[in-house]
Amino acid sequence: MIDNIIHAAIVMTTPLLLAAIGGLVNRVGGLVNIGLDAMMLAGALAGLIVASQSGSWLAALIAAGLIGALIGLMMSLTVTRLEANEIIVGLGFNVAIAGLVRFFLKSAYGSSGTLNLPDVARLPHFDIPVIADIPILGALVSGHDPLTWAAWLMVPATAWFLARTRTGLRLRAAGAGPQAARALGLNPLTLRDASTVFAGFMAGLAGAYLSIGVVGIFNEGITAGRGFIALAAFYFGRNRPWPTALCALLFGLFDAFQIRLQGRGVPAELVQTLPYVMVILVLTVMALAVRRKRAKGT
């Protein structure tokens, strides 16, 4: 049983981690991306359609990432060039994309919310010989798909990028002090746009993971607010990749628990709130810790 829970936790962590890493880079660049859920939703739909028509899961991931990146670019330009409020723009994109997806499903497929296509190319899973038979360790590292491995490899890669590369340092400068960055000859708006495109690409991959990696179909509620949980993850991690990854893993674990509890006869309406209740509790504890630290400082 413990192996099943661990394996399910890793699976449910993957989309959260992908979106959270993208949102973290975007936040470091100076933009709080409230539209991650919309990018995930569009990526999930695009990924399923391309996986069905092309028979290639790789093509599906690329398509999902690109549609997410496009939405990210449009959102970023609205904020950086038109100077719109980033929170309002993000919420607006969430509502608009959800409406467009619903309209597309009805007009193109005659569906009222769920899309089940034939011959969908699912993400492959790889078992590691010998290790797969070891309790706990096998569940942690074996039987997973390439996108899960890529998500976890992105954690040290992002930490290195932000701390060791010239572009990463410029991105941090643009987010921390746009005027000072501009005085140094940098273009903070372009850097912010690039970070939002990256966040959209990662969120698109996260959405595709849900549709072709987990369930094999598309539903209007497939993201289930996971874009907002990813937002909480990088806030809890304070824009640091490793704490963000651990927070995503924690939320993924609770997500796996609620799925397991549904199978034990506990009312689904109640247990489905577990991950979101934990988000509220974690953010509350973090806020109290920050307040206590400030109080000691004074």
Side-chain angles (χ1 to χ4, degrees):
M1 178 178 176
I2 185 65
D3 282 0
N4 292 334
I5 293 177
I6 291 174
H7 188 272
I10 298 297
V11 169
M12 303 313 297
T13 297
T14 299
L16 297 178
L17 183 56
L18 288 167
I21 290 296
L24 182 153
V25 172
N26 207 180
R27 180 67 184 90
V28 169
L31 194 150
V32 179
N33 196 328
I34 305 294
L36 290 173
D37 208 68
M39 300 166 192
M40 289 179 67
L41 185 65
L45 179 57
L48 185 77
I49 293 173
V50 174
S52 174
Q53 294 183 349
S54 69
S56 169
W57 59 267
L58 182 58
L61 292 182
I62 293 173
L66 289 178
I67 193 67
L70 178 61
I71 296 173
L73 178 61
M74 292 189 295
M75 193 186 85
S76 186
L77 292 177
T78 305
V79 174
T80 60
R81 300 311 194 268
L82 301 181
E83 299 182 355
N85 182 277
E86 60 189 10
I87 305 298
I88 302 301
V89 170
L91 292 175
F93 266 79
N94 284 330
V95 175
I97 295 300
L100 288 173
V101 165
R102 189 175 299 113
F103 172 78
F104 177 79
L105 288 177
K106 288 184 178 180
S107 60
Y109 293 96
S111 172
S112 60
T114 300
L115 183 61
N116 190 357
L117 297 176
D119 303 322
V120 173
R122 303 288 298 275
L123 291 177
H125 295 79
F126 301 105
D127 291 321
I128 302 176
V130 180
I131 294 180
D133 299 326
I134 301 176
I136 299 180
L137 180 61
L140 282 172
V141 301
S142 181
H144 298 294
D145 56 88
L147 197 53
T148 295
W149 287 106
W152 283 100
L153 289 174
M154 283 297 298
V155 179
T158 302
W160 172 81
F161 169 77
L162 293 175
R164 301 292 182 181
T165 67
R166 180 177 298 179
T167 304
L169 294 174
R170 288 178 175 177
L171 183 66
R172 291 168 58 189
Q179 295 180 349
R182 193 175 291 110
L184 294 173
L186 303 178
N187 190 333
L189 296 184
T190 300
L191 289 169
R192 192 167 298 175
D193 290 339
S195 69
T196 313
V197 169
F198 174 76
F201 187 86
M202 296 293 286
L205 291 180
Y209 183 84
L210 292 172
S211 60
I212 68 172
V214 178
V215 294
I217 62 173
F218 175 83
N219 184 277
E220 289 181 7
I222 193 170
T223 62
R226 287 183 174 87
F228 295 100
I229 297 182
L231 183 72
F234 68 76
Y235 258 100
F236 179 73
R238 298 189 179 184
N239 299 335
R240 294 175 296 174
W242 283 110
T244 295
L246 292 177
C247 187
L249 181 60
L250 176 65
F251 293 143
L253 181 62
F254 285 115
D255 208 359
F257 266 123
Q258 65 96 0
I259 294 174
R260 178 66 60 175
L261 288 175
Q262 289 184 47
R264 293 301 182 93
V266 182
E269 295 81 4
L270 180 62
V271 298
Q272 284 175 355
T273 66
L274 181 60
Y276 310 101
V277 170
M278 293 310 303
V279 169
I280 296 173
L281 290 177
V282 168
L283 292 178
T284 301
V285 170
M286 185 176 70
L288 292 175
V290 171
R291 177 179 295 182
R292 183 176 302 176
K293 184 177 180 180
R294 289 176 178 176
K296 289 182 179 180
T298 58

